[in-house]
């Protein structure tokens, strides 16, 4: 096999920042590539097969730029750069000008990033808190970004398990009368979570993780009695959880676990006499250290441009929910 060597001068770069604490940044490169990478003085040497050397040359260039711009670079930044460069076509655009802090996940065929001030605030709150409530209308990216952040946390080995839950309130008491086994009965109510996962992970990896229990997509009722350690837990459509169900969910969270709760208070499907657990939580949990709240508005809708107009039209006619 043909091998080549490329030497790159690290001019104008803080070498300690570039290599990371105990060479943590260089260790990321060595774990992702077969090439031999050595740093002597202000010169980094890359020796390996031509395609890897070419990729690493571009990665090192982006690392240099990041250190020069921010005077810092973390192993997570390096992972993101590697994913972005590895996923781009040869000769494609460089990452310069990109804000790595806004990149949540490099998915199968796209880069998922926090767009706009509200999504960036959402991402910041999740990084800084163990529990985050994300409240707002459909189409603002609440659930999609939550799943992306969960997958990113698993990929970065911050957690060992992903648990995604939804109330199946739409099924009501008729769930037992639906055809099929349990999975076939509940899958339609969990489909939006599956859809998000399928956009972010290769099909074989997703199937393998679900078979091994590394990813669970379950109705909220099936969370009772469990303690979830080292897990990233998402409760979607939380406006349809009762107050007792919300308390049950929040008290499932164990050591080294994080949670995102998403919902839209204009789309409550519970009976009028039953209080929404999301509405209650938004009232009584604010101000607790470690719990963050982000509220999206119609202006934050990121679906098709007509979605905002549709929401406005229905609201003007007094028709709420259903989106």
């Amino acid at each position: 096999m043909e091998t080549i060597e490329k030497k790159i001068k690290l001019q104008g770069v803080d070498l300690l920042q570039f290599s990371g604490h105990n060479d943590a940044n260089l260790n990321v490169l060595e774990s992702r590539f077969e090439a031999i990478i050595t740093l002597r003085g202000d010169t980094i040497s890359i020796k390996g097969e031509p395609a890897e050397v070419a990729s690493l040359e571009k990665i090192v260039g982006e690392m240099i730029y990041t250190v020069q711009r921010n005077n810092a670079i973390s192993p997570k930044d390096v992972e993101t750069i590697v994913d972005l460069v590895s996923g781009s076509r040869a000769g494609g655009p460089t990452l310069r000008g990109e804000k790595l802090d806004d990149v949540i996940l490099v998915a199968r065929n796209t880069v998922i990033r926090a767009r706009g001030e509200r999504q960036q605030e959402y991402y910041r709150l999740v990084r800084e808190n163990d529990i985050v409530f994300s409240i707002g209308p459909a189409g603002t990216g609440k659930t999609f970004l939550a799943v992306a952040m969960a997958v990113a946390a698993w990929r970065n080995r911050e957690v060992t398990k992903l648990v995604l839950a939804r109330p199946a309130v739409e099924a009501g008491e008729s769930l037992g009368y639906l055809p099929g086994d349990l999975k076939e009965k509940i899958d339609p109510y969990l489909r939006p979570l599956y859809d998000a996962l399928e956009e972010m992970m290769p099909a074989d990896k997703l199937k393998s993780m679900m078979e091994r229990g590394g990813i669970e997509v379950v109705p909220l009722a099936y969370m009772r009695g469990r303690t979830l350690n080292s897990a990233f837990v998402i409760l979607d459509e939380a406006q349809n959880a009762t107050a007792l169900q919300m308390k049950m969910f929040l008290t499932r969270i164990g050591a080294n676990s994080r949670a995102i709760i998403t919902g839209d208070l204009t789309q409550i499907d519970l009976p009028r006499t039953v209080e929404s657990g999301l509405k209650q939580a938004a009232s009584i949990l604010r101000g607790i250290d470690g719990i963050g709240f982000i509220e999206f508005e119609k202006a934050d809708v990121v679906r098709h441009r007509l979605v905002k107009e549709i929401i406005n039209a229905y609201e003007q006619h007094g028709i709420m929910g259903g989106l």
Side-chain angles (χ1 to χ4, degrees):
M1 180 183 294
E2 179 188 3
T3 61
I4 61 173
E5 184 174 9
K6 180 74 178 182
K7 294 185 177 182
I8 304 170
K9 279 277 191 181
L10 304 178
Q11 295 178 330
V13 175
D14 185 318
L15 297 179
L16 289 176
Q17 290 289 353
F18 179 87
S19 59
H21 180 64
N22 291 330
D23 290 336
N25 295 336
L26 297 181
N27 291 339
V28 170
L29 299 183
E30 290 174 346
S31 70
R32 299 286 296 270
F33 294 92
E34 298 293 327
I36 298 171
I37 303 166
T38 54
L39 178 61
R40 290 191 177 91
D42 64 351
T43 301
I44 188 168
S45 172
I46 307 166
K47 186 175 182 180
E49 60 102 6
E52 278 208 345
V53 172
S55 291
L56 280 163
E57 183 179 4
K58 188 172 183 181
I59 289 164
V60 168
E62 301 300 340
M63 290 173 64
I64 291 171
Y65 177 78
T66 301
V67 174
Q68 289 174 335
R69 184 184 63 181
N70 301 333
N71 196 35
I73 185 170
S74 69
K76 181 181 180 297
D77 291 334
V78 178
E79 291 274 10
T80 300
I81 290 171
V82 171
D83 287 338
L84 286 167
V85 170
S86 299
S88 67
R89 291 172 296 188
T94 68
L95 307 178
R96 301 182 183 190
E98 298 276 5
K99 290 182 66 178
L100 290 180
D101 285 349
D102 295 339
V103 175
I104 298 172
L105 179 71
V106 180
R108 293 164 57 196
N109 300 309
T110 188
V111 177
I112 299 170
R113 55 168 52 86
R115 300 182 183 277
E117 291 183 10
R118 199 86 61 172
Q119 288 192 356
Q120 290 164 5
E121 173 71 1
Y122 183 19
Y123 187 29
R124 182 189 67 79
L125 283 171
V126 173
R127 294 199 304 267
E128 295 178 357
N129 295 274
D130 289 334
I131 298 174
V132 171
F133 286 82
S134 175
I135 302 171
T140 51
K142 304 184 305 293
T143 299
F144 188 76
L145 292 184
V147 175
M149 288 184 269
V151 172
W154 170 79
R155 187 180 288 180
N156 294 333
R157 299 178 179 85
E158 296 168 18
V159 297
T160 60
K161 186 182 187 68
L162 307 183
V163 180
L164 288 66
R166 279 187 121 193
V169 67
E170 300 95 333
E173 295 301 321
S174 64
L175 188 63
Y177 296 96
L178 294 175
D181 60 19
L182 176 63
K183 185 176 187 301
E184 291 171 331
K185 291 177 181 180
I186 63 177
D187 270 4
Y189 306 102
L190 304 175
R191 175 46 52 187
L193 299 176
Y194 285 116
D195 289 345
L197 283 170
E198 287 168 357
E199 284 198 44
M200 298 174 198
M201 301 182 72
D204 56 344
K205 172 63 73 174
L206 177 58
K207 181 180 178 182
S208 172
M209 283 193 67
M210 295 191 75
E211 288 175 348
R212 292 185 288 106
I215 295 179
E216 291 185 53
V217 184
V218 297
L220 175 59
Y222 287 74
M223 300 282 289
R224 190 175 302 279
R226 303 181 61 185
T227 300
L228 299 169
N229 295 318
S230 192
F232 202 118
V233 193
I234 296 172
L235 175 58
D236 190 36
E237 299 289 350
Q239 75 276 2
N240 289 327
T242 67
L244 286 177
Q245 285 176 328
M246 179 63 73
K247 180 182 177 183
M248 178 272 290
F249 173 82
L250 292 173
T251 54
R252 299 309 93 199
I253 298 168
N256 193 39
S257 287
R258 298 152 68 185
I260 298 178
I261 299 93
T262 73
D264 180 355
L265 291 174
T266 70
Q267 297 191 39
I268 299 173
D269 296 319
L270 295 168
R272 293 182 181 276
T273 56
V274 179
E275 183 177 14
S276 165
L278 179 61
K279 186 174 182 180
Q280 183 190 71
S283 172
I284 68 176
L285 297 181
R286 292 181 188 271
I288 296 178
D289 188 37
I291 299 180
F293 284 84
I294 179 77
E295 295 186 6
F296 290 92
E297 301 173 353
K298 287 181 293 183
D300 301 311
V301 170
V302 291
R303 289 182 184 169
H304 192 285
R305 64 179 181 81
L306 289 176
V307 172
K308 290 180 190 176
E309 300 300 325
I310 292 169
I311 293 173
N312 285 332
Y314 274 94
E315 287 186 353
Q316 287 171 11
H317 285 78
I319 303 171
M320 309 295 288
L323 293 174

